[in-house]
Amino acid sequence: MLPYIAEFLGTMMLILLGDGVVANVSLDKSGMKGSGAVQITIAWGLAVMIPAFIFGTASGAHFNPALTIALAVEGSFAWGLVPGYIVAQFAGGITGGVLVYLLFKDQFDATESQATKLGVFCTSPSVPNTGRNILSEVIGTFVLVFAIKGLAQVPEAPQGVGNLLIFGIIVAIGMSLGGLTGYAINPVRDLGPRIAHSLLPIKDKGSSNWRYAPVVITGPVVGAILAVLLYGVIPWA
């Protein structure tokens, strides 16, 4: 059970810190309202890096069904573990979203914009275009997973350096491509909190925009699988 517990706790922490920074800078009456995209992008990198340090040994620190599926397709992860990992990740994502709401309930109550409230929990495109939105998620996730695979090319690096580089990867993707779709690059990062948004008694919350869900499923899964397949055929020195 240890890997599943690690995936649950790690994903919960990722969403707590990641969605927490969005709440912190966007909700009315928050002390850091208006801090902007740079704070959000850096904090999301840290939100991934911190649980990776804690739970990397226990579970491999996937926290992302697209990565879990891609590694199974590649053959480096057992298919028998995939369902349990995904269930644990979704449970963690939902729990993280609930915790963010509990912590920021007063700020949610003070915020009138339904889009701002939804944006705390999940992503949305700056310009709705299903095909291009999926492509953005494919490419962003491809970069993420290909870079993760590439970290194995520096075996002499001190322990923990890979997790520090994960921070850099997330920040780079966010600062370069994040304005397109909010760079979910992870189905659970979006759908777990989106489920929480749909279930929680948030004041005047509006729609959870489930029409966008296929983008954050299709794009990351396709991008992750393409990354491991291409990485596997390159004749590395």
Side-chain angles (χ1 to χ4, degrees):
M1 291 297 293
L2 179 59
Y4 302 134
I5 294 171
E7 286 295 300
F8 167 77
L9 292 175
T11 310
M12 178 190 71
M13 188 176 297
L14 184 155
I15 298 301
L16 172 65
L17 298 176
D19 283 5
V21 70
V22 181
N24 221 6
V25 305
S26 63
L27 295 178
D28 292 342
K29 297 190 180 301
S30 169
M32 291 188 179
K33 179 177 171 59
S35 298
V38 173
Q39 178 168 330
I40 289 175
T41 308
I42 292 174
W44 263 108
L46 294 170
V48 176
M49 183 191 74
I50 291 171
F53 268 110
I54 299 170
F55 301 109
T57 301
S59 71
H62 293 190
F63 315 142
N64 184 340
L67 177 60
T68 299
I69 291 170
L71 293 178
V73 169
E74 178 192 46
S76 61
F77 187 73
W79 276 107
L81 296 175
V82 170
Y85 264 54
I86 292 177
V87 169
Q89 291 158 359
F90 267 97
I94 295 168
T95 304
V98 171
L99 290 175
V100 170
Y101 170 69
L102 293 176
L103 289 171
F104 287 91
K105 183 183 183 305
D106 294 335
Q107 285 74 22
F108 277 107
D109 290 346
T111 301
E112 294 185 3
S113 170
Q114 294 178 344
T116 298
K117 294 176 183 180
L118 179 60
V120 169
F121 293 91
C122 50
T123 63
S124 63
S126 55
V127 178
N129 181 314
T130 300
R132 195 164 286 116
N133 299 155
I134 290 175
L135 180 62
S136 174
E137 290 293 327
V138 168
I139 292 174
T141 311
F142 177 92
V143 172
L144 170 67
V145 175
F146 200 85
I148 289 172
K149 292 294 295 180
L151 295 180
Q153 295 298 308
V154 285
E156 72 281 0
Q159 185 176 10
V161 167
N163 292 328
L164 289 173
L165 293 176
I166 289 292
F167 163 77
I169 295 166
I170 298 296
V171 171
I173 294 170
M175 288 190 170
S176 298
L177 305 176
L180 299 173
T181 61
Y183 71 116
I185 56 177
N186 179 347
V188 156
R189 173 268 171 273
D190 183 284
L191 297 180
R194 196 183 294 268
I195 292 170
H197 177 273
S198 69
L199 297 175
L200 287 166
I202 304 168
K203 180 181 177 183
D204 300 326
K205 66 181 176 181
S207 169
S208 298
N209 191 21
W210 284 104
R211 291 177 298 178
Y212 189 66
V215 172
V216 298
I217 297 172
T218 305
V221 171
V222 170
I225 291 174
L226 288 175
V228 298
L229 293 180
L230 179 58
Y231 193 89
V233 299
I234 295 176
W236 300 104

